[in-house]
Amino acid sequence: MTTPDAMRDLTPCTNTEQLLRITPLVELVGLRIEGELDYVTLPALLPVLAAMSDRDSFSIDVSGLVFCDVGGLRALVTAAAGLRAGHILTMRSPSLGVRRLLKLTGWQKVAGLRLQAP
């Protein structure tokens, strides 16, 4: 289980190919994801999402994503769906492409997920 101080201990994480950067948010509890989220980079994000999902509500700033495939988006939506009742994963600043994928898949309606447009 994640301790309340776990996010303060999270150091910026970049996969070996430097395609994805994961850093803690400064202004609130959550993460900033930058770069490309796809089949290659998803393994770097999954353990961080698992640790965050043990918490209450949290935010993920995706404004720095230049690409997100359906598998990456599924991981974010699954994390939101797995939160305890009443807790929310706020996806901050999703791009038009991410919002379109959410709409096409119907995942924008998943309980526990809230979009905060730019």
Side-chain angles (χ1 to χ4, degrees):
M1 179 161 266
T2 305
T3 65
D5 297 316
M7 282 311 297
R8 273 186 252 133
D9 298 334
L10 179 66
T11 57
C13 167
T14 305
N15 82 339
T16 56
E17 297 175 19
Q18 298 185 353
L19 297 175
L20 182 69
R21 182 171 172 82
I22 305 165
T23 54
L25 291 173
V26 175
E27 63 276 13
L28 46 98
V29 175
L31 307 168
R32 176 170 288 109
I33 304 172
E34 302 169 287
E36 300 177 14
L37 181 55
D38 58 21
Y39 179 77
V40 172
T41 60
L42 183 58
L45 179 62
L46 290 176
V48 179
L49 278 180
M52 291 300 297
S53 295
D54 285 344
R55 301 180 61 85
D56 296 334
S57 299
F58 65 97
S59 295
I60 297 182
D61 183 334
V62 294
S63 62
L65 279 182
V66 294
F67 178 78
C68 182
D69 71 4
V70 174
L73 190 59
R74 180 185 295 121
L76 296 172
V77 171
T78 300
L83 293 174
R84 292 186 305 258
H87 296 284
I88 302 292
L89 184 160
T90 302
M91 190 180 300
R92 299 174 67 199
S93 304
S95 68
L96 182 58
V98 168
R99 290 192 311 260
R100 185 163 192 263
L101 269 177
L102 285 166
K103 185 175 181 179
L104 288 171
T105 58
W107 292 340
Q108 83 278 9
K109 297 176 186 175
V110 166
L113 180 65
R114 183 178 77 187
L115 300 180
Q116 186 179 49

